[in-house]
Amino acid sequence: MTSQFLSIFYLYELDHYIVNNLHIKYYIRYMDDFVLIHHDKDVLKQALKKIEKILESIYKLKLNAKKTKIISIKEGFSFLGYTYKVINNKTIVKIRKESYENIKKKIKEIHYRYKYQKNISKPFMSIMSYWYNRKYGSQLRVRRIINRFWFKRLEYEK
């Protein structure tokens, strides 16, 4: 919780600068990850240069070169475990493949803890949060993973 508060507080001025000085209307930030959406690629290039300069001079931070890209919204981009793409003026949201693998790994870990520690409350709450919180993307696929790696294993062990 402290790191969330610090992230909001620490980068607040950058948020303000991006919206009011750079005039980026569509700006999304969660912690230290952010997305800027604009119809003009040149505006985004200039914004990127200014943001890099501010981050380095004021905040002593650097952007991750692997994650920092200027792309067309039609190509799609990944943000917070989802892939966003616009096709025929419709926004398509899918869960990234890496996120599925992370879910499988987490469920196996939770199952192992449940099996040997016999404490069902925390594992059950974690599984249910995966079950209900994946509102976007392929929720059916997430539920199939949960069924396969959690519920089927419980039935098998009986």
Side-chain angles (χ1 to χ4, degrees):
M1 188 67 166
T2 305
S3 62
Q4 291 175 336
F5 174 75
L6 288 174
S7 172
I8 292 167
F9 178 75
Y10 193 64
L11 294 174
Y12 169 76
E13 290 179 8
L14 180 65
D15 296 338
H16 189 273
Y17 177 80
I18 290 171
V19 172
N20 295 319
N21 294 35
L22 298 178
H23 305 290
I24 303 292
K25 187 176 179 181
Y26 302 106
Y27 168 65
I28 307 161
R29 182 171 69 86
Y30 179 77
M31 304 291 273
D32 62 344
D33 295 329
F34 55 94
V35 175
L36 283 70
I37 301 172
H38 198 278
H39 65 277
D40 188 352
K41 203 172 196 176
D42 292 329
V43 170
L44 290 174
K45 287 178 182 177
Q46 291 300 316
L48 178 59
K49 288 179 186 176
K50 291 176 182 178
I51 291 168
E52 279 180 325
K53 187 177 179 182
I54 289 171
L55 285 174
E56 287 179 15
S57 63
I58 297 173
Y59 296 100
K60 309 298 184 228
L61 298 171
K62 286 189 175 188
L63 293 175
N64 184 334
K66 292 180 183 177
K67 291 183 175 181
T68 305
K69 302 174 192 169
I70 297 178
I71 59 167
S72 168
I73 195 93
K74 292 177 183 175
E75 284 179 48
F77 63 93
S78 292
F79 185 65
L80 301 178
Y82 294 95
T83 300
Y84 302 85
K85 190 183 273 191
V86 174
I87 301 173
N88 297 328
N89 291 329
K90 292 182 182 179
T91 304
I92 308 299
V93 182
K94 291 184 178 182
I95 299 173
R96 283 190 351 226
K97 289 181 183 179
E98 295 88 10
S99 296
Y100 286 118
E101 295 305 315
N102 290 340
I103 291 170
K104 285 181 195 178
K105 184 178 175 183
K106 186 71 173 173
I107 290 171
K108 287 178 183 179
E109 177 187 328
I110 291 168
H111 184 266
Y112 177 82
R113 287 185 179 176
Y114 166 72
K115 185 176 177 180
Y116 294 104
Q117 295 175 357
K118 299 296 181 193
N119 182 355
I120 193 162
S121 62
K122 285 185 180 180
F124 185 75
M125 288 172 22
S126 296
I127 298 298
M128 289 300 108
S129 73
Y130 282 130
W131 187 272
Y132 290 110
N133 290 338
R134 296 296 176 168
K135 295 177 184 175
Y136 304 105
S138 179
Q139 189 177 29
L140 179 61
R141 187 169 173 196
V142 172
R143 289 183 178 199
R144 283 182 182 152
I145 290 170
I146 292 170
N147 281 334
R148 185 166 142 214
F149 289 97
W150 178 256
F151 294 116
K152 299 257 180 182
R153 285 183 176 197
L154 288 178
E155 289 174 10
Y156 177 74
E157 291 173 0
K158 286 182 182 180

